[in-house]
Amino acid sequence: SLKALHVDTHGLDEMDNKILSAIIDKFDGGPVGISTIATAVGEQIDTIEEVYEPYLIQEGYIMRTPRGRQATEKAYKHLGKTDPTKQTDLFD
């Protein structure tokens, strides 16, 4: 039944993944404001703040900062992307 609802093995649905993708792909991982995220994914600000964001924060995919929402390393891994802030030096 979760497949029918497009919920993945981590409990994220299609909109959760759209939010993470928008933060990472369109806004370089953040920080980005909630209204900008809402516009990017075509969802109401209140819906994101009340429905999607609490779970994403609780599970460690995004964090709230004074400057806006920011994707965590876990979000990058979930989407199969490399966090540019976690690049390793070739000679370390």
Side-chain angles (χ1 to χ4, degrees), residues 2-21 43 47 51-53 55-56 61 78-79:
L2 292 178
K3 281 187 180 184
L5 297 172
H6 303 285
V7 175
D8 65 21
T9 56
H10 300 280
L12 303 181
D13 67 11
E14 189 174 356
M15 183 55 73
D16 292 319
N17 285 306
K18 281 176 76 174
I19 292 167
L20 294 178
S21 292
E43 187 59 81
T47 304
V51 177
Y52 299 105
E53 187 179 58
Y55 184 75
L56 292 172
Y61 291 100
H78 177 73
L79 296 177

